[in-house]
């Protein structure tokens, strides 16, 4: 299905090439590159958040290598919506070509602009809206309203002489959206009439049967929870989920409570949403944290970040009793109006336990309907396939299990199985004469951001971190006479992350000394060989004595 | 509610003391100690599996410190059932007092005996069954059948002159259990008539509304999945879930497939269950792996361990294409007939993705009803409270969120709120004159097993491992003339887990050399002060240059 790295052939005249540099085979860092007539169009450029096996990493970027020598050939980047996994890597791309046109809806570009300011970049933004057409070099684009967990999301149709491509972006089909902005299924049907040659479809929830409850049905649940609360209420949700926050605002207003926003990104994003008319803030509703704290206990709702258990977030600090101004008290109510992203369970439940322990009642999606997903599950995806009736399908945005499930749905609606292309990151798909097929594969690796630098932390460093994180290290330092190989001082042996027992390594000192005498007697003065011998003797001792595998770090200094 | 460590007062004459040394405020390492008349009874003695914040740890034991000087006063350990979180730490306790009587049901003791053989221990086992009474020193015990995800589970009532205590162990109320062995609600009601003074209740699923579907309803789902499969089927589940495996056997038999068991613990436990008559194996059904592989593709079902994504398990190896005999092929079916324990999501979905990528269809509880929980959710817990009508309640087996939810259920059935004691590990609860109350708190820490040793890895080592795992380390070694403080060789600087760039640390060498000259010029020869100065200069440089925080490890050798 995917196979080894294999340079793709030259793209035939009149053909369209599609390569994902991120986002297929994983959830995050979405970035798809389209090529026609020697020119490139990029759809989305997001970041991926690291997992346990990538310790110390802040962000993971798409791998730009396949296009970094061709940035002059890029006609535009089109952004489908403003989530981090779709826009977060744009500044890293713009560093390489700052004037690259970036196309997106108003809210998406406002979020990008805020991000670019942090990176001291001044992007070349082209605002579009649903129903609009735009031509970017070789690519004729048309934009469609789609419903997602952030306002102002778009799908994009891309027309070239090779055919018509439709990319959903992230999508769902809420039939009662809070802002009345429906996913443009009629528009998709019209494209279907015209004939969609390749359909790239969000796979995130393809394994989930059925339909998503409307976002607006969360309002009454929040109303019940906040209405029943006699003390402070804290609601945590994603800082870009404007409609969720809107519902909290409306319910707070109905119950005579003021609202304070907690967390830098929450304050920033809701400011942008208000400015753009996407968030309706009743006069006098918003107060700052100190004002809210001065209100009677039943007078305030705090809307906070930290719904994923991020250790430095406001909510995590509250759960540990370490927040600088908000102390949780018995009888307070905390609502996690958010998803639980796989991998974050331990952190999120840690926060829930901390809050419970302080006496708060914690409402979350496990015990109340306070969250709905932003991605179409199987039932909604079937609507999409039936509207679009595509000739070829390429599931995007998901791990393998999601891609496979999405492909099966396409097949069930009548797409021939051989026209469903499961192509993870780096797989090169050509659309030629109406047929999409895999023609090769380019290398797409993980590009890690750790602190200020990009790319210097790679698999070798991570592998060392995993070993150090599991077992710590034992360092042995030996100073030798460079002429004789004789140790000029006793070996220094110390461990970190190995044992709490200060005497744990005492017994190995004599073993090292014996080994050093032996080495000296053989006339060995090569520091590398001495280091190897020391590593071997200590490694064996630790394995036999403790059955552990710390990193063994010998240093031999010739003096 | 819990508060700081506070030595409890002397237990009043005629009073009963209860202290959990594990299992309350966490899910795992269950161990509750009862004290009456100077004697002790222990219920369960299990292990806890480590989380991300406890890297490199194999197991976590209950903290025996509160009783280790009193082991001669222990009349018995009573085991409620054979899961690792209830029996796994028994060998560690028996090492300290090998002849301690261990009381439990037949299957529970058979599993414990197998475990003790691995530890070269020969335990003093006392077999009991539901309906039986047994007197262990000061404690009169009565055992009740309870339904759980392992056969032969028991609840235990403990009678002393202080009153009647009922401990559920792990429990649910499957009304159509596969083995016909119902949770003895009638027996609990009889105890309720007599008057239960203290009720210790499984909290694991207290947050989950409603009831658990009967275990036997999984059979038809497995029948559909296995009936529809045209190739090999692999079913992964817990190695102790005899009834789940029984249903796989029955369905395989119905479809004319043979069964091979994969994984050491699966083979061992199913052997024990068969010997005890708990598992019914049709003649000729079981074959070994090689025989199964020689069968036609639609002739075999493999029942395997690895349902939690354990990296070394058979299923994980298959998902990576590394299993020595079983290769996953397109069209194979894999069923994860198991729970997804929080914290294991990334590992489990990694396995699902690996299997999907190899072309297998993966069925799991997210897309089919192939698992039910072994723990009573809220609806079933209400039945328990109404049957027992306890005077005092102590929720056990759960994190804070579970304990709180369980306590609320007790209150809703009429238990006065002040009679619900939320007492995490170490909290001392005395039952005196029919009233349970918190009287103090003893220290209960985490006792880590890492490799061969118990207890030498503690919080300080784990803290170092977390730092090393996030950022690696930079080691600087300096040999100085002990008289003058002058460096006798250039400083050696190396990093591990810091950067893939071999030149990353080149620029810091001259900074260290400058610092060493400066130190020498000040006449400082103290190695500790030199090391501190070197750490400071390198730490500052790394923070400014990389915005990272590796461990800085200076070594100064006087020669």
């Amino acid at each position: 299905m995917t196979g080894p790295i294999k340079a793709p052939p030259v793209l035939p005249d009149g053909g369209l090439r599609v390569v994902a540099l991120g986002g297929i085979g994983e959830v995050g860092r979405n970035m798809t590159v389209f090529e026609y007539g020697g020119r490139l169009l990029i759809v989305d450029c997001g970041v991926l958040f690291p997992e346990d096996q990538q310790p110390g990493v802040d962000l993971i970027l798409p791998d730009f290598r396949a296009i970094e020598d061709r940035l002059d050939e890029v006609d535009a980047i089109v952004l489908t919506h403003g989530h981090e996994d779709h826009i977060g890597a744009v500044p890293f791309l713009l560093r390489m070509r700052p004037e690259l046109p970036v196309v997106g809806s108003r809210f998406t570009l406002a979020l990008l602009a805020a991000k670019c300011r942090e990176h001291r970049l001044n992007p070349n933004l082209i605002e579009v809206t649903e129903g609009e057409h735009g031509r970017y070099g070789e690519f004729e684009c048309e934009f469609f309203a789609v419903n997602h967990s952030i306002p102002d999301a778009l799908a994009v149709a891309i027309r070239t002489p090779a055919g018509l491509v439709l990319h959903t972006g992230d999508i769902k089909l809420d039939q009662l959206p809070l802002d009345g902005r429906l996913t443009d299924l009629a528009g998709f049907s019209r494209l279907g009439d015209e004939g969609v040659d390749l359909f790239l479809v969000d796979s995130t929830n393809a394994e989930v049967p059925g339909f998503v409850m409307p976002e607006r049905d969360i309002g009454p649940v929040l109303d019940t929870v906040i209405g029943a609360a006699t003390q402070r209420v804290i609601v945590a949700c994603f800082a870009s989920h404007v409609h969720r926050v809107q519902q909290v605002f409306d319910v707070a207003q109905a119950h005579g409570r003021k609202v304070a926003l907690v967390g830098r990104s929450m304050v920033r994003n809701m400011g942008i949403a208000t400015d753009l008319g996407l968030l309706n803030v009743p006069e006098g509703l918003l107060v700052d944290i100190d004002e809210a704290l001065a209100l009677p206990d039943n007078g305030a709702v705090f809307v906070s970040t930290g719904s994923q258990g991020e250790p430095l977030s406001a909510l995590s600090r509250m759960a540990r009793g370490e927040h600088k101004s908000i102390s949780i008290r018995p009888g307070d109510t905390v609502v996690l109006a958010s998803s639980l992203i796989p991998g974050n369970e331990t952190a999120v439940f840690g926060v829930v336990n901390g809050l419970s322990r302080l006496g708060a009642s914690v409402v979350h999606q496990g015990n109340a309907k306070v969250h709905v997903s932003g991605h179409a599950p199987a039932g909604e995806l079937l609507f999409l396939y039936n509207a679009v009736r595509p000739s070829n399908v390429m599931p995007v945005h998901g791990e393998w299990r999601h891609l496979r499930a999405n492909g099966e749905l396409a097949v069930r609606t009548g797409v021939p199985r051989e026209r469903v292309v499961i192509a993870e990151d780096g797989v090169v798909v050509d659309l030629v004469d109406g047929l999409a097929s895999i023609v090769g594969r380019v290398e797409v690796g993980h590009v890690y951001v750790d602190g200020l630098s990009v790319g210097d932390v790679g698999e070798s460093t991570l592998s060392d971190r995993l070993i150090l994180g599991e077992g710590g290290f034992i360092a042995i330092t030996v100073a030798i006479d460079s002429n004789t190989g004789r140790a000029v001082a006793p070996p220094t042996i110390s461990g970190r992350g190995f044992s709490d027992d200060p005497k744990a390594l005492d017994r190995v000192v004599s073993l090292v000394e014996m080994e050093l005498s032996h080495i000296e007697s053989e006339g060995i003065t090569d520091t590398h060989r001495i280091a190897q011998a020391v590593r071997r003797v200590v490694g064996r001792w630790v394995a036999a004595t403790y059955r552990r595998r710390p990193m063994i770090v010998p240093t031999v200094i010739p003096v």
Side-chain angles (χ1 to χ4, degrees), chain A:
Chain A
M1 262 166 284
T2 51
I5 301 302
K6 178 189 150 208
V10 172
L11 176 60
D13 272 350
L16 178 82
R17 178 160 286 178
V18 189
V19 187
L21 303 185
I24 313 193
E26 63 197 351
V27 175
R29 64 162 187 165
N30 297 290
M31 180 172 183
T32 312
V33 180
F34 296 87
E35 176 176 0
Y36 179 82
R39 303 295 296 179
L40 305 175
L41 181 81
I42 296 169
V43 175
D44 291 330
C45 185
V47 294
L48 172 67
F49 295 98
E51 297 185 348
D52 295 350
Q53 295 303 302
Q54 293 146 338
V57 170
D58 300 322
L59 294 173
I60 303 170
L61 305 182
D63 188 341
F64 299 145
R65 278 177 299 172
I67 59 161
E68 66 187 359
D69 295 335
R70 302 183 63 189
L71 289 181
D72 288 340
E73 301 165 17
V74 178
D75 285 324
I77 313 180
V78 172
L79 303 178
T80 59
H81 63 280
H83 279 150
E84 284 298 317
D85 56 335
H86 291 257
I87 71 168
V90 172
F92 297 91
L93 195 61
L94 293 184
R95 280 188 199 170
M96 295 191 274
R97 196 184 146 201
E99 85 293 357
L100 195 60
V102 183
V103 180
S105 68
R106 211 164 158 217
F107 188 56
T108 304
L109 294 185
L111 293 177
L112 180 70
K115 175 175 294 295
C116 284
R117 274 193 293 279
E118 289 168 11
H119 285 260
R120 297 181 193 181
L121 289 162
N122 184 22
N124 172 16
L125 303 178
I126 301 177
E127 192 182 307
V128 294
T129 189
E130 50 265 32
E132 249 181 68
H133 290 249
R135 183 166 189 97
Y136 314 104
E138 292 290 332
F139 304 90
E140 169 74 32
C141 294
E142 182 179 356
F143 300 95
F144 295 84
V146 300
N147 181 249
H148 184 44
S149 46
I150 188 171
D152 225 7
L154 296 172
V156 56
I158 304 164
R159 287 185 176 83
T160 64
L164 172 56
V165 175
L166 177 60
H167 191 312
T168 62
D170 284 353
I171 193 169
K172 69 171 169 172
L173 299 175
D174 189 336
Q175 294 303 294
L176 299 168
L178 209 72
D179 58 2
R181 185 174 174 275
L182 287 159
T183 290
D184 188 3
L185 204 57
F188 290 172
S189 296
R190 178 174 51 70
L191 289 182
D193 293 343
E194 181 182 340
V196 171
D197 296 289
L198 180 61
F199 189 27
L200 294 92
V201 188
D202 178 9
S203 308
T204 314
N205 269 347
E207 281 196 313
V208 178
F211 295 78
V212 177
M213 188 178 91
E215 170 69 26
R216 68 168 68 228
D217 286 0
I218 290 174
V221 181
L222 291 173
D223 189 81
T224 304
V225 171
I226 295 177
T230 54
Q231 292 182 205
R232 288 178 188 156
V233 176
I234 294 138
V235 181
C237 70
F238 277 112
S240 58
H241 205 323
V242 176
H243 294 164
R244 191 69 48 84
V245 173
Q246 180 72 64
Q247 299 198 87
V248 178
F249 281 16
D250 294 347
V251 170
Q253 176 82 353
H255 290 281
R257 289 177 181 248
K258 304 283 184 193
V259 173
L261 299 175
V262 184
R264 201 173 59 89
S265 57
M266 185 65 77
V267 171
R268 188 193 69 182
N269 292 359
M270 293 309 134
I272 293 172
T274 308
D275 292 345
L276 299 186
L278 296 166
L279 183 69
N280 172 35
V281 188
E283 185 74 29
L285 181 75
L286 274 184
V287 295
D288 67 27
I289 296 178
D290 289 335
E291 290 175 83
L293 289 171
L295 291 168
D297 270 6
N298 64 354
V301 173
F302 298 85
V303 177
S304 172
T305 54
S307 65
Q308 295 306 310
E310 303 90 332
L312 300 180
S313 69
L315 194 68
S316 288
R317 290 182 202 274
M318 292 179 215
R320 294 192 300 263
E322 293 171 2
H323 192 271
K324 63 181 188 301
S325 45
I326 305 175
S327 304
I328 299 292
R329 293 181 298 211
D332 286 348
T333 302
V334 180
V335 183
L336 297 178
S338 50
S339 66
L340 209 180
I341 295 177
N344 295 348
E345 289 81 2
T346 309
V348 171
F349 288 127
V351 168
V352 173
N353 286 323
L355 296 166
S356 296
R357 193 177 169 146
L358 293 168
S361 295
V362 186
V363 177
H364 54 80
Q365 63 166 351
N367 56 26
K369 259 291 171 199
V370 290
H371 174 70
V372 297
S373 172
H375 299 273
E380 298 179 16
L381 290 171
L382 293 175
F383 273 80
L384 290 178
Y385 285 118
N386 285 330
V388 175
R389 294 149 284 156
S391 303
N392 299 275
V393 167
M394 187 170 155
V396 297
H397 305 173
E399 301 170 4
W400 267 88
R401 59 196 176 105
H402 306 123
L403 304 174
R404 291 243 325 173
N406 200 0
E408 290 302 318
L409 294 172
V411 171
R412 294 183 72 186
T413 62
V415 179
R417 189 172 288 278
E418 64 277 15
R419 297 296 185 93
V420 175
V421 183
I422 309 266
E424 66 184 331
D425 293 348
V427 172
V428 180
V429 176
D430 282 359
L431 177 68
V432 178
D433 297 330
L435 182 70
S437 52
I438 292 174
V439 299
R441 183 172 185 176
V442 298
E443 198 171 343
V444 170
H446 282 111
V447 179
Y448 301 113
V449 179
D450 181 0
L452 293 178
S453 84
V454 178
D456 83 303
V457 167
E459 303 309 332
S460 146
T461 294
L462 292 186
S463 156
D464 279 352
R465 286 184 186 172
L466 290 170
I467 292 168
L468 289 166
E470 284 285 300
F473 70 87
I474 295 174
I476 311 100
T477 309
V478 182
I480 57 154
D481 182 316
S482 50
N483 296 316
T484 63
R486 181 147 178 273
V488 298
T492 307
I493 299 185
S494 64
R496 294 297 293 270
F498 177 70
S499 175
D500 279 19
D501 176 6
K503 297 181 186 301
L505 299 172
D506 285 2
R507 279 190 296 151
V508 78
V509 176
S510 58
L511 284 179
V512 172
E513 286 181 326
M514 277 169 56
E515 181 69 18
L516 290 172
S517 307
H518 175 71
I519 290 168
E520 185 197 345
S521 73
E522 298 212 332
I524 296 167
T525 58
D526 176 60
T527 56
H528 183 69
R529 283 184 65 192
I530 298 172
Q532 287 287 62
V534 168
R535 174 183 289 121
R536 201 165 43 236
V537 73
V538 176
R540 279 189 192 149
W541 175 82
V542 169
T545 312
Y546 286 91
R547 207 184 289 164
R548 295 187 199 160
R549 298 204 295 177
M551 187 180 279
I552 311 289
V553 188
T555 307
V556 178
I557 306 186
V559 292

